[in-house]
Amino acid sequence: MDKPVLIMVVGPTGVGKTALSIEIAEYFGTVVISADSRQIYREMRIGTAVPSPEELERVTHYFIGKLSVKDYYNSWEYERDALAVAERIFRNRPYAVLCGGSMMYVDAVCRGMDEAPDISPGLRKEVYREYADYGLAHMLAFLKELDPVFYEEVDRDNPKRVLHAVEICRAAGRPCSNLRKKEKKKRDFDMLRIGLDMPRPELYARVDKRVDDMMARGLEEEARRLYPFRAFNALNTVGYKEWFDYFEGKIEREEVVRLIKRNSRRYAKKQLTWFRKDKDITWFHPDMREEIFSYLRSPETWNLYGAGD
């Protein structure tokens, strides 16, 4: 094997990525790099399905509880930090495991983010103040004026993406879509990609059950503690944002649970649509442990995928 290998476990929310990634890390005697853009916040544990203390004890995890919900963090920073961690791991180990379903984080490692200008604290504060004063619709209209190409592509329900695009346009003095090279960056390691999926009714039933389990573990109380920080982008997250209208007396509690389940299912569908575009992912049902580990042990697997990108 000429290069170290990053074994990636990806798939939709609730499918069982955490358990499999830990088993793979134990098998190869290595660690897990989390690619979950919400588990990175230390105050958000129940609603993000952070690995249990027992699971964290079994295998070292990076990027779990690294930040506060008040901290700003983006995919560019994750690419930089994740590659630095991978470099340290590969000094002593030939394998590492990356686990997560945050599409932009996974893409940042696989393909790399396009170069972006540095955003000064003053500019960031200015953009966020404008958002606080005038709302998302105003920022979307401004982005459409600055960069109509990226406006058509951006997730318009995600303020963080919209605001960061505005920041880049302002800092660069030109549309952020003009900065994109669309070239996959070279990595000093190979990548072997495993995807987990299951029939849609089974997946949705798992998602619903996981929400019920979160409720039993105290999701409402966790969301209530985070209510004062609701303006921070980290809290624009399924499992938390639905509670805020309830705390303000706008909806009933039963409606909160229904919305969390619905929005979680929608997010799972979005994740699958994204990951299915990657033809280098080999897909398994999470119950196919024997097949997964046979695949990982097979010389043909490493001959076929070991060269990576």
Side-chain angles (χ1 to χ4, degrees), residues 259-273:
L259 288 174
I260 293 174
K261 291 180 177 180
R262 184 201 69 181
N263 293 340
S264 297
R265 294 192 298 266
R266 287 180 175 178
Y267 183 56
K269 181 179 179 181
K270 181 178 179 179
Q271 290 171 299
L272 280 169
T273 299

mmCIF file with all atom_site columns, all heavy atoms in Angstrom, residues 259-273:
data_model
loop_
_atom_site.group_PDB
_atom_site.id
_atom_site.type_symbol
_atom_site.label_atom_id
_atom_site.label_alt_id
_atom_site.label_comp_id
_atom_site.label_asym_id
_atom_site.label_entity_id
_atom_site.label_seq_id
_atom_site.pdbx_PDB_ins_code
_atom_site.Cartn_x
_atom_site.Cartn_y
_atom_site.Cartn_z
_atom_site.occupancy
_atom_site.B_iso_or_equiv
_atom_site.pdbx_formal_charge
_atom_site.auth_seq_id
_atom_site.auth_comp_id
_atom_site.auth_asym_id
_atom_site.auth_atom_id
_atom_site.pdbx_PDB_model_num
ATOM 1   N N   . LEU A 1 259 ? -42.994 17.717 13.528 1.00 0.00 ? 259 LEU A N   1
ATOM 2   C CA  . LEU A 1 259 ? -42.126 18.462 12.619 1.00 0.00 ? 259 LEU A CA  1
ATOM 3   C C   . LEU A 1 259 ? -40.691 17.944 12.656 1.00 0.00 ? 259 LEU A C   1
ATOM 4   O O   . LEU A 1 259 ? -40.030 17.862 11.616 1.00 0.00 ? 259 LEU A O   1
ATOM 5   C CB  . LEU A 1 259 ? -42.146 19.947 12.978 1.00 0.00 ? 259 LEU A CB  1
ATOM 6   C CG  . LEU A 1 259 ? -43.426 20.701 12.638 1.00 0.00 ? 259 LEU A CG  1
ATOM 7   C CD1 . LEU A 1 259 ? -43.368 22.124 13.181 1.00 0.00 ? 259 LEU A CD1 1
ATOM 8   C CD2 . LEU A 1 259 ? -43.664 20.718 11.123 1.00 0.00 ? 259 LEU A CD2 1
ATOM 9   N N   . ILE A 1 260 ? -40.215 17.586 13.836 1.00 0.00 ? 260 ILE A N   1
ATOM 10  C CA  . ILE A 1 260 ? -38.849 17.054 13.922 1.00 0.00 ? 260 ILE A CA  1
ATOM 11  C C   . ILE A 1 260 ? -38.741 15.762 13.121 1.00 0.00 ? 260 ILE A C   1
ATOM 12  O O   . ILE A 1 260 ? -37.775 15.551 12.377 1.00 0.00 ? 260 ILE A O   1
ATOM 13  C CB  . ILE A 1 260 ? -38.435 16.824 15.386 1.00 0.00 ? 260 ILE A CB  1
ATOM 14  C CG1 . ILE A 1 260 ? -38.315 18.154 16.122 1.00 0.00 ? 260 ILE A CG1 1
ATOM 15  C CG2 . ILE A 1 260 ? -37.104 16.072 15.452 1.00 0.00 ? 260 ILE A CG2 1
ATOM 16  C CD1 . ILE A 1 260 ? -38.049 18.014 17.606 1.00 0.00 ? 260 ILE A CD1 1
ATOM 17  N N   . LYS A 1 261 ? -39.728 14.891 13.263 1.00 0.00 ? 261 LYS A N   1
ATOM 18  C CA  . LYS A 1 261 ? -39.705 13.643 12.502 1.00 0.00 ? 261 LYS A CA  1
ATOM 19  C C   . LYS A 1 261 ? -39.781 13.911 11.007 1.00 0.00 ? 261 LYS A C   1
ATOM 20  O O   . LYS A 1 261 ? -39.011 13.346 10.216 1.00 0.00 ? 261 LYS A O   1
ATOM 21  C CB  . LYS A 1 261 ? -40.848 12.737 12.944 1.00 0.00 ? 261 LYS A CB  1
ATOM 22  C CG  . LYS A 1 261 ? -40.676 12.182 14.354 1.00 0.00 ? 261 LYS A CG  1
ATOM 23  C CD  . LYS A 1 261 ? -41.843 11.286 14.748 1.00 0.00 ? 261 LYS A CD  1
ATOM 24  C CE  . LYS A 1 261 ? -41.627 10.681 16.134 1.00 0.00 ? 261 LYS A CE  1
ATOM 25  N NZ  . LYS A 1 261 ? -42.736 9.804  16.544 1.00 0.00 ? 261 LYS A NZ  1
ATOM 26  N N   . ARG A 1 262 ? -40.684 14.785 10.605 1.00 0.00 ? 262 ARG A N   1
ATOM 27  C CA  . ARG A 1 262 ? -40.831 15.102 9.178  1.00 0.00 ? 262 ARG A CA  1
ATOM 28  C C   . ARG A 1 262 ? -39.555 15.718 8.616  1.00 0.00 ? 262 ARG A C   1
ATOM 29  O O   . ARG A 1 262 ? -39.077 15.320 7.548  1.00 0.00 ? 262 ARG A O   1
ATOM 30  C CB  . ARG A 1 262 ? -41.994 16.073 8.975  1.00 0.00 ? 262 ARG A CB  1
ATOM 31  C CG  . ARG A 1 262 ? -42.290 16.380 7.499  1.00 0.00 ? 262 ARG A CG  1
ATOM 32  C CD  . ARG A 1 262 ? -43.056 17.671 7.332  1.00 0.00 ? 262 ARG A CD  1
ATOM 33  N NE  . ARG A 1 262 ? -42.227 18.835 7.674  1.00 0.00 ? 262 ARG A NE  1
ATOM 34  C CZ  . ARG A 1 262 ? -42.664 20.089 7.627  1.00 0.00 ? 262 ARG A CZ  1
ATOM 35  N NH1 . ARG A 1 262 ? -43.922 20.342 7.296  1.00 0.00 ? 262 ARG A NH1 1
ATOM 36  N NH2 . ARG A 1 262 ? -41.860 21.093 7.934  1.00 0.00 ? 262 ARG A NH2 1
ATOM 37  N N   . ASN A 1 263 ? -39.001 16.695 9.317  1.00 0.00 ? 263 ASN A N   1
ATOM 38  C CA  . ASN A 1 263 ? -37.812 17.379 8.823  1.00 0.00 ? 263 ASN A CA  1
ATOM 39  C C   . ASN A 1 263 ? -36.594 16.469 8.831  1.00 0.00 ? 263 ASN A C   1
ATOM 40  O O   . ASN A 1 263 ? -35.721 16.594 7.967  1.00 0.00 ? 263 ASN A O   1
ATOM 41  C CB  . ASN A 1 263 ? -37.548 18.635 9.655  1.00 0.00 ? 263 ASN A CB  1
ATOM 42  C CG  . ASN A 1 263 ? -38.631 19.684 9.472  1.00 0.00 ? 263 ASN A CG  1
ATOM 43  O OD1 . ASN A 1 263 ? -39.371 19.663 8.489  1.00 0.00 ? 263 ASN A OD1 1
ATOM 44  N ND2 . ASN A 1 263 ? -38.752 20.593 10.422 1.00 0.00 ? 263 ASN A ND2 1
ATOM 45  N N   . SER A 1 264 ? -36.536 15.533 9.790  1.00 0.00 ? 264 SER A N   1
ATOM 46  C CA  . SER A 1 264 ? -35.440 14.565 9.805  1.00 0.00 ? 264 SER A CA  1
ATOM 47  C C   . SER A 1 264 ? -35.535 13.632 8.603  1.00 0.00 ? 264 SER A C   1
ATOM 48  O O   . SER A 1 264 ? -34.519 13.295 7.976  1.00 0.00 ? 264 SER A O   1
ATOM 49  C CB  . SER A 1 264 ? -35.462 13.755 11.105 1.00 0.00 ? 264 SER A CB  1
ATOM 50  O OG  . SER A 1 264 ? -35.250 14.582 12.227 1.00 0.00 ? 264 SER A OG  1
ATOM 51  N N   . ARG A 1 265 ? -36.743 13.210 8.264  1.00 0.00 ? 265 ARG A N   1
ATOM 52  C CA  . ARG A 1 265 ? -36.924 12.347 7.085  1.00 0.00 ? 265 ARG A CA  1
ATOM 53  C C   . ARG A 1 265 ? -36.553 13.098 5.811  1.00 0.00 ? 265 ARG A C   1
ATOM 54  O O   . ARG A 1 265 ? -35.918 12.536 4.906  1.00 0.00 ? 265 ARG A O   1
ATOM 55  C CB  . ARG A 1 265 ? -38.366 11.844 7.022  1.00 0.00 ? 265 ARG A CB  1
ATOM 56  C CG  . ARG A 1 265 ? -38.749 10.913 8.165  1.00 0.00 ? 265 ARG A CG  1
ATOM 57  C CD  . ARG A 1 265 ? -40.079 10.220 7.895  1.00 0.00 ? 265 ARG A CD  1
ATOM 58  N NE  . ARG A 1 265 ? -41.186 11.155 7.769  1.00 0.00 ? 265 ARG A NE  1
ATOM 59  C CZ  . ARG A 1 265 ? -41.990 11.524 8.763  1.00 0.00 ? 265 ARG A CZ  1
ATOM 60  N NH1 . ARG A 1 265 ? -41.774 11.047 9.989  1.00 0.00 ? 265 ARG A NH1 1
ATOM 61  N NH2 . ARG A 1 265 ? -42.990 12.357 8.562  1.00 0.00 ? 265 ARG A NH2 1
ATOM 62  N N   . ARG A 1 266 ? -36.932 14.355 5.742  1.00 0.00 ? 266 ARG A N   1
ATOM 63  C CA  . ARG A 1 266 ? -36.594 15.155 4.558  1.00 0.00 ? 266 ARG A CA  1
ATOM 64  C C   . ARG A 1 266 ? -35.086 15.324 4.427  1.00 0.00 ? 266 ARG A C   1
ATOM 65  O O   . ARG A 1 266 ? -34.527 15.268 3.324  1.00 0.00 ? 266 ARG A O   1
ATOM 66  C CB  . ARG A 1 266 ? -37.276 16.523 4.632  1.00 0.00 ? 266 ARG A CB  1
ATOM 67  C CG  . ARG A 1 266 ? -38.775 16.477 4.386  1.00 0.00 ? 266 ARG A CG  1
ATOM 68  C CD  . ARG A 1 266 ? -39.381 17.864 4.481  1.00 0.00 ? 266 ARG A CD  1
ATOM 69  N NE  . ARG A 1 266 ? -40.797 17.857 4.131  1.00 0.00 ? 266 ARG A NE  1
ATOM 70  C CZ  . ARG A 1 266 ? -41.575 18.934 4.171  1.00 0.00 ? 266 ARG A CZ  1
ATOM 71  N NH1 . ARG A 1 266 ? -41.069 20.106 4.560  1.00 0.00 ? 266 ARG A NH1 1
ATOM 72  N NH2 . ARG A 1 266 ? -42.844 18.853 3.835  1.00 0.00 ? 266 ARG A NH2 1
ATOM 73  N N   . TYR A 1 267 ? -34.423 15.528 5.551  1.00 0.00 ? 267 TYR A N   1
ATOM 74  C CA  . TYR A 1 267 ? -32.965 15.682 5.521  1.00 0.00 ? 267 TYR A CA  1
ATOM 75  C C   . TYR A 1 267 ? -32.308 14.378 5.082  1.00 0.00 ? 267 TYR A C   1
ATOM 76  O O   . TYR A 1 267 ? -31.340 14.388 4.299  1.00 0.00 ? 267 TYR A O   1
ATOM 77  C CB  . TYR A 1 267 ? -32.461 16.110 6.896  1.00 0.00 ? 267 TYR A CB  1
ATOM 78  C CG  . TYR A 1 267 ? -30.980 16.355 6.939  1.00 0.00 ? 267 TYR A CG  1
ATOM 79  C CD1 . TYR A 1 267 ? -30.367 17.264 6.078  1.00 0.00 ? 267 TYR A CD1 1
ATOM 80  C CD2 . TYR A 1 267 ? -30.170 15.660 7.840  1.00 0.00 ? 267 TYR A CD2 1
ATOM 81  C CE1 . TYR A 1 267 ? -28.998 17.487 6.112  1.00 0.00 ? 267 TYR A CE1 1
ATOM 82  C CE2 . TYR A 1 267 ? -28.802 15.879 7.887  1.00 0.00 ? 267 TYR A CE2 1
ATOM 83  C CZ  . TYR A 1 267 ? -28.219 16.794 7.025  1.00 0.00 ? 267 TYR A CZ  1
ATOM 84  O OH  . TYR A 1 267 ? -26.871 17.008 7.062  1.00 0.00 ? 267 TYR A OH  1
ATOM 85  N N   . ALA A 1 268 ? -32.817 13.249 5.562  1.00 0.00 ? 268 ALA A N   1
ATOM 86  C CA  . ALA A 1 268 ? -32.275 11.958 5.147  1.00 0.00 ? 268 ALA A CA  1
ATOM 87  C C   . ALA A 1 268 ? -32.393 11.775 3.639  1.00 0.00 ? 268 ALA A C   1
ATOM 88  O O   . ALA A 1 268 ? -31.453 11.300 2.979  1.00 0.00 ? 268 ALA A O   1
ATOM 89  C CB  . ALA A 1 268 ? -32.995 10.828 5.884  1.00 0.00 ? 268 ALA A CB  1
ATOM 90  N N   . LYS A 1 269 ? -33.527 12.166 3.094  1.00 0.00 ? 269 LYS A N   1
ATOM 91  C CA  . LYS A 1 269 ? -33.729 12.057 1.646  1.00 0.00 ? 269 LYS A CA  1
ATOM 92  C C   . LYS A 1 269 ? -32.734 12.940 0.897  1.00 0.00 ? 269 LYS A C   1
ATOM 93  O O   . LYS A 1 269 ? -32.157 12.540 -0.129 1.00 0.00 ? 269 LYS A O   1
ATOM 94  C CB  . LYS A 1 269 ? -35.166 12.455 1.295  1.00 0.00 ? 269 LYS A CB  1
ATOM 95  C CG  . LYS A 1 269 ? -35.490 12.343 -0.181 1.00 0.00 ? 269 LYS A CG  1
ATOM 96  C CD  . LYS A 1 269 ? -36.935 12.732 -0.449 1.00 0.00 ? 269 LYS A CD  1
ATOM 97  C CE  . LYS A 1 269 ? -37.251 12.642 -1.946 1.00 0.00 ? 269 LYS A CE  1
ATOM 98  N NZ  . LYS A 1 269 ? -38.665 13.039 -2.217 1.00 0.00 ? 269 LYS A NZ  1
ATOM 99  N N   . LYS A 1 270 ? -32.518 14.150 1.412  1.00 0.00 ? 270 LYS A N   1
ATOM 100 C CA  . LYS A 1 270 ? -31.564 15.076 0.795  1.00 0.00 ? 270 LYS A CA  1
ATOM 101 C C   . LYS A 1 270 ? -30.153 14.511 0.833  1.00 0.00 ? 270 LYS A C   1
ATOM 102 O O   . LYS A 1 270 ? -29.399 14.600 -0.150 1.00 0.00 ? 270 LYS A O   1
ATOM 103 C CB  . LYS A 1 270 ? -31.618 16.417 1.533  1.00 0.00 ? 270 LYS A CB  1
ATOM 104 C CG  . LYS A 1 270 ? -30.697 17.486 0.975  1.00 0.00 ? 270 LYS A CG  1
ATOM 105 C CD  . LYS A 1 270 ? -30.873 18.777 1.751  1.00 0.00 ? 270 LYS A CD  1
ATOM 106 C CE  . LYS A 1 270 ? -29.947 19.867 1.241  1.00 0.00 ? 270 LYS A CE  1
ATOM 107 N NZ  . LYS A 1 270 ? -30.125 21.140 1.988  1.00 0.00 ? 270 LYS A NZ  1
ATOM 108 N N   . GLN A 1 271 ? -29.774 13.910 1.960  1.00 0.00 ? 271 GLN A N   1
ATOM 109 C CA  . GLN A 1 271 ? -28.446 13.306 2.075  1.00 0.00 ? 271 GLN A CA  1
ATOM 110 C C   . GLN A 1 271 ? -28.255 12.189 1.053  1.00 0.00 ? 271 GLN A C   1
ATOM 111 O O   . GLN A 1 271 ? -27.212 12.100 0.399  1.00 0.00 ? 271 GLN A O   1
ATOM 112 C CB  . GLN A 1 271 ? -28.245 12.751 3.485  1.00 0.00 ? 271 GLN A CB  1
ATOM 113 C CG  . GLN A 1 271 ? -28.098 13.808 4.565  1.00 0.00 ? 271 GLN A CG  1
ATOM 114 C CD  . GLN A 1 271 ? -28.122 13.187 5.951  1.00 0.00 ? 271 GLN A CD  1
ATOM 115 O OE1 . GLN A 1 271 ? -29.111 12.573 6.344  1.00 0.00 ? 271 GLN A OE1 1
ATOM 116 N NE2 . GLN A 1 271 ? -27.029 13.330 6.694  1.00 0.00 ? 271 GLN A NE2 1
ATOM 117 N N   . LEU A 1 272 ? -29.259 11.335 0.935  1.00 0.00 ? 272 LEU A N   1
ATOM 118 C CA  . LEU A 1 272 ? -29.147 10.221 -0.004 1.00 0.00 ? 272 LEU A CA  1
ATOM 119 C C   . LEU A 1 272 ? -29.022 10.715 -1.439 1.00 0.00 ? 272 LEU A C   1
ATOM 120 O O   . LEU A 1 272 ? -28.239 10.172 -2.231 1.00 0.00 ? 272 LEU A O   1
ATOM 121 C CB  . LEU A 1 272 ? -30.359 9.298  0.134  1.00 0.00 ? 272 LEU A CB  1
ATOM 122 C CG  . LEU A 1 272 ? -30.298 8.327  1.316  1.00 0.00 ? 272 LEU A CG  1
ATOM 123 C CD1 . LEU A 1 272 ? -31.640 7.650  1.522  1.00 0.00 ? 272 LEU A CD1 1
ATOM 124 C CD2 . LEU A 1 272 ? -29.199 7.289  1.104  1.00 0.00 ? 272 LEU A CD2 1
ATOM 125 N N   . THR A 1 273 ? -29.788 11.735 -1.784 1.00 0.00 ? 273 THR A N   1
ATOM 126 C CA  . THR A 1 273 ? -29.696 12.302 -3.127 1.00 0.00 ? 273 THR A CA  1
ATOM 127 C C   . THR A 1 273 ? -28.287 12.801 -3.398 1.00 0.00 ? 273 THR A C   1
ATOM 128 O O   . THR A 1 273 ? -27.718 12.577 -4.480 1.00 0.00 ? 273 THR A O   1
ATOM 129 C CB  . THR A 1 273 ? -30.697 13.457 -3.293 1.00 0.00 ? 273 THR A CB  1
ATOM 130 O OG1 . THR A 1 273 ? -32.026 12.958 -3.104 1.00 0.00 ? 273 THR A OG1 1
ATOM 131 C CG2 . THR A 1 273 ? -30.594 14.080 -4.676 1.00 0.00 ? 273 THR A CG2 1
#
